[in-house]
Amino acid sequence: MKSYPLAKPEINNDDIEAVTKVLKSPYLSRGPMVMAFEKQFAKEIRVKYACALSSGTAGLIIALQALGVKTGDEVITVSFTVPATVNSIVAIGAIPIMVDIDLMTLGMCPNALKQAISKKTKAIIVVHAFGKAAQIDKLITIARENNITVIEDACEAIGNDYKGKPLGSLADIGVFAFYPNKQITTGEGGMLVTNDEVLHHQFELLRNHGRSMNGDLFDQISFGWNFRMSDINAALGLSQLNRIKQIVTRRQEIAADYHAILSQKNNISCPAFSVKEHNSAWFVYVIRLLNGDRDKLLFELQHLKIQCGRYFAPVHMQPYYRDKYPGLQLKNTELIANQCLALPFYPQLNKKDIVYICDKLVKSSQYVYFLLK
Ligand SMILES: Cc1ncc(COP(=O)(O)O)c(C=O)c1O
């Protein structure tokens, strides 16, 4: 029986050559590849500055610190995300205020944002869930009216835009991530982007022990971490970035193949292709089961070696956060989270694979439905 992982990176000969070249060079940590990757990334996202980091989480932490968010400040975000979005707020002693999503974009609901703003609100983190644009213009307008800064968590959104502008470039700061399940990978890694020179300078200090890139190597002028990206990772990232258009096109094709089959089924709701401004960067292909038991289906598919995922498991319902937010109910988040299922999704899948996966899925879901009746 063939097995299907949830995600799989695509590494080609150019990638291997690029990494090998660095291994033969004297620059294993910060070197010319980091700078080249940053330059190309800034061009791709159409921003002035890009700062390469060890992870997307590091990017979120640094972004908040560079904006001056401090202990006791409130940061509004969503629960429908990975733990990193919320953990980064906790990491710097600030208070995460998790609000609900809208059902069209699965991103932060503008009305929920309005209601959550308080005197303590310092920033908001908008997540483009699955690479699909949140209602970012409305959210930014509300934030500006209240003098609040905005971070776009675009970790899943490289290759997508909103009204012609790349996601990650619309707010004060954009954050990207390059774990191997992402559209492009560096193994582990992240990137911060901004058009603000002062913020960019802060990013550089914060990622490198508070040491300035231009000053004396041993002078520490502010607080900082070691959140640097190595030249080995950057070489892989740059090589992958060079074919980002191809990668996104391939992912669109796979999504379309899934869509062609699954959109015919009554009990499955597929990600929308029709809402142009809120189309996806196709980080994952997530369906919504309108009836039946999602977890049973997941279990059955796993037995058939088809790995699926509960994307996202809401943060406020996690054991670590549940006790800290007693009584917090997020209606749309909880509804969607109980129905969502991410299917195997990676460039190497062919049409035959997709027909096979869909066939098993449809048969299993009927079985589950039958069992429940
Ligand atoms: C929406 C979102 N935010 C943040 C992150 C964190 O990125 P990393 O795993 O590189 O720390 C991820 C990665 O999974 C993500 O998907």
Side-chain angles (χ1 to χ4, degrees), residues 54-58 60 81-82 84-85 127-128 153 155-156 176-179 181-182 188-190 283 312:
S54 51
S55 70
T57 308
L60 288 164
T81 182
V82 295
T85 313
V127 179
H128 298 300
D153 181 339
C155 286
E156 304 181 350
F176 293 86
F178 310 122
Y179 187 74
N181 63 352
K182 297 292 190 296
E188 294 281 2
F283 161 55
F312 293 113

Side-chain angles (χ1 to χ4, degrees), residues 7 12 17-18 59 72 87 110-111 152 160 189 195 220 283 325 354 368:
N12 71 13
E17 244 174 63
N87 285 345
N111 281 336
E152 282 179 85
N160 196 9
N195 285 310
Q220 183 195 347
F283 161 55
Y325 291 84
I354 291 166
V368 171

Side-chain angles (χ1 to χ4, degrees), residues 320-335:
Y320 178 71
Y321 283 106
R322 223 167 21 214
D323 299 344
K324 296 178 175 61
Y325 291 84
L328 176 61
Q329 283 185 321
L330 301 171
K331 200 169 139 243
N332 291 346
T333 301
E334 289 165 31
L335 171 77

Side-chain angles (χ1 to χ4, degrees), residues 229-255:
M229 178 182 279
S230 84
D231 249 33
I232 304 169
N233 302 83
L236 178 56
L238 180 59
S239 178
Q240 298 231 322
L241 187 61
N242 284 338
R243 57 177 195 278
I244 181 78
K245 297 262 169 334
Q246 268 165 269
I247 291 173
V248 172
T249 304
R250 180 72 200 116
R251 295 178 91 91
Q252 281 166 345
E253 284 166 5
I254 298 167

